[in-house]
Amino acid sequence: MRIGLGGPRVRRVLPAGLALTVLVSLAACRPDLTPPGAPTSWPSASARFWQWQWQLDGTLDLTVEAEVFVLDPVTTTAAQTAELRSLDRRLVCQVHVGSVHPQDPDATRFPPQVRGATAARTGRSWLDVRRWDALRPVLADRFRLCRGKGFGAVLLADADGYAQSPGLALDFDDQLQFNRRVAALASSLDLSPGLLGSLGQVAALAPDFDFAVDEECVRLKRCDKLLPFVDAGKPVFHVEYTGALTDFCVTSVGYGFASIRKNRTLDAWRSPCPSP
């Protein structure tokens, strides 16, 4: 349910206590979700009803009550994905398409010529996204690993190097072309492409991607940048790392997002907002 009045880009939220009471009541009337079916299927009528989990650290909790799981394709086993698929869970593998870490299993496949600066916080080196001929084979193999383990979708991480300090002369158009190429590559391998971050390009990229994942748009006051996905009936999976649910759920659910509270380590713990 979108809470708001006026034009298509204007949202108004209810007072926190009243709105959350309404949301909890509506959750009891929540329609049954369409089973996963084809891996690229995200029924638009269900976009805002998904419950989701994002776990990249710690022992994987297969019992989480969520329809969508975003996981690491390297550490997640085929047995774990098989069990989740038997429960009709939608599986999304997170793949770093614009960076490489020394501990990545395929790190040696990226020659020095395609590497830029190393981010101090993550230890990941940015990649020269203009070198498509060099990057495509490695990315294709990363995606094939996802498919081989039973994932049906891929979340593209570090797809915004142009807006960081990559140590490379990348511009908006370089990144845009690369992101579209990677989305097309994923689709060609029967993986539904999703976009992580890169809010500066969402308006241009929403037609090329099937869903989006956002971090802290409420705290950073930039949720409106994700509206091209919402208006197209595509899921937006949103996470906040600070604050109580009452601090952000009314805003994010009002925008039509599927929202949760997580630890920054992205371990198994989660606290979901009520679904509309």
Side-chain angles (χ1 to χ4, degrees):
M1 181 179 74
R2 181 178 296 172
I3 303 173
L5 289 175
R9 296 283 175 176
V10 178
R11 268 69 176 175
R12 184 181 69 185
V13 297
L14 299 173
L18 174 60
L20 281 183
T21 299
V22 172
L23 291 174
V24 170
S25 299
L26 286 172
C29 303
R30 179 183 174 190
D32 291 335
L33 293 176
T34 304
T40 56
S41 173
W42 296 95
S44 60
S46 303
R48 65 196 62 194
F49 297 111
W50 302 108
Q51 283 289 346
W52 73 297
Q53 166 68 319
W54 192 4
Q55 184 177 351
L56 302 178
D57 183 60
T59 302
L60 180 59
D61 186 352
L62 303 177
T63 67
V64 172
E65 291 296 324
E67 292 90 17
V68 179
F69 282 71
V70 180
L71 306 171
D72 183 336
V74 175
T75 60
T76 304
T77 68
Q80 289 171 325
T81 60
E83 182 171 346
L84 289 170
R85 286 169 64 89
S86 73
L87 299 172
D88 285 341
R89 306 310 191 204
R90 291 169 176 265
L91 304 184
V92 181
C93 64
Q94 178 172 318
V95 173
H96 291 271
V97 297
S99 70
V100 61
H101 192 277
Q103 295 182 357
D104 288 349
D106 56 5
T108 59
R109 296 184 63 187
F110 294 99
Q113 299 93 308
V114 304
R115 300 185 187 220
T118 299
R121 185 177 65 85
T122 64
R124 306 192 68 87
S125 298
W126 293 102
L127 296 172
D128 190 343
V129 298
R130 298 167 297 183
R131 304 287 298 272
W132 180 245
D133 289 345
L135 300 184
R136 184 191 183 283
V138 188
L139 296 179
D141 285 345
R142 288 185 173 189
F143 293 167
R144 291 188 184 100
L145 172 66
C146 292
R147 286 299 298 149
K149 287 193 175 182
F151 289 92
V154 57
L155 177 63
L156 308 186
D158 289 342
D160 61 349
Y162 84 102
Q164 308 301 325
S165 299
L168 300 160
L170 304 179
D171 61 25
F172 183 96
D173 290 336
D174 294 327
Q175 190 74 58
L176 187 65
Q177 182 182 49
F178 173 77
N179 289 345
R180 285 174 170 162
R181 281 173 163 173
V182 179
L185 176 61
S187 296
S188 73
L189 296 172
D190 294 325
L191 288 168
S192 177
L195 182 66
L196 174 59
S198 199
L199 295 188
Q201 296 194 331
V202 163
L205 290 174
D208 300 281
F209 288 81
D210 296 334
F211 64 97
V213 172
D214 174 79
E215 297 175 281
E216 300 191 287
C217 76
V218 174
R219 183 180 72 84
L220 299 173
K221 296 181 173 59
R222 58 188 190 186
C223 294
D224 59 309
K225 295 184 179 296
L226 292 150
L227 288 177
F229 278 95
V230 177
D231 293 339
K234 298 179 178 182
V236 173
F237 301 106
H238 158 254
V239 62
E240 293 284 332
Y241 299 121
T242 59
L245 295 184
T246 51
D247 294 335
F248 66 85
C249 284
V250 174
T251 298
S252 62
V253 176
Y255 273 106
F257 302 164
S259 296
I260 56 177
R261 167 83 152 77
K262 292 281 296 182
N263 296 323
R264 289 188 184 274
T265 56
L266 296 177
D267 55 11
W269 181 84
R270 69 190 279 276
S271 184
C273 290
S275 297

